[in-house]
Amino acid sequence: MSVSFARAGLILGLGLTVASGACAPLRSHQGYIIDADLVNSVQPGVDNRQSVAQVLGRPTIASQFGAEDWYYVARDSRNLNFQKPKPKEQITLKISFDPSGTVKSVTRTGVEQIAKVDTFGKTTPTLGKKRGFFEDLFGNIGTVGAAGAGGPGGGGGGGRDTP
């Protein structure tokens, strides 16, 4: 009898170990890997685009219009099992350049800049009549080419092709 209790305890212990390992959070990193020494070496008024590209590499995002800004974005996320990843830490490094290409400013922001968007549901609400399955399936029968419906053969009238 004591052997079966020991075996049951071993199986229970192994089961709990496997179950607790399945609940461990998954960690992920996306984007730029920030090296504080390299970032601190970029000095406003001293560095230019070429020196910043040599020290930090290509930016994650470069501004397309207006201001001359480069962005380096790094994000650490965690999730449990099959949940959506949630950002735990984010660093956004913004380097602004003046028109001559010299570094004007270096700004750091964090996770407070992440926008949270709440979705309404799986469908987009629309105005008007809600159609059922059969109305969607058979709703256009008889309307193709009908008078007043426009298009060829329709009563749209006054087209460019008519004299």
Side-chain angles (χ1 to χ4, degrees), residues 17-42:
T17 303
V18 169
S20 66
C23 294
L26 299 174
R27 297 177 183 188
S28 64
H29 178 83
Q30 297 170 320
Y32 186 73
I33 298 175
I34 298 209
D35 184 352
D37 294 333
L38 293 177
V39 171
N40 292 334
S41 71
V42 176

Side-chain angles (χ1 to χ4, degrees), residues 29-100:
H29 178 83
Q30 297 170 320
Y32 186 73
I33 298 175
I34 298 209
D35 184 352
D37 294 333
L38 293 177
V39 171
N40 292 334
S41 71
V42 176
Q43 298 297 318
V46 175
D47 289 308
N48 58 21
R49 280 191 189 95
Q50 184 178 6
S51 65
V52 171
Q54 287 176 345
V55 171
L56 299 179
R58 293 180 49 190
T60 307
I61 304 167
S63 62
Q64 298 291 319
F65 307 103
E68 300 286 330
D69 298 329
W70 284 3
Y71 297 91
Y72 295 87
V73 181
R75 178 183 288 183
D76 292 325
S77 302
R78 291 188 188 145
N79 65 318
L80 290 172
N81 296 335
F82 300 105
Q83 297 175 351
K84 291 182 180 179
K86 294 178 183 171
K88 292 296 179 187
E89 186 177 338
Q90 176 171 312
I91 297 172
T92 304
L93 182 66
K94 175 184 172 187
I95 300 178
S96 299
F97 298 96
D98 62 12
S100 66

Side-chain angles (χ1 to χ4, degrees), residues 124-132 135-136:
T124 304
T126 59
L127 299 175
K129 182 181 176 195
K130 182 171 172 82
R131 294 171 41 157
E135 289 173 309
D136 284 339

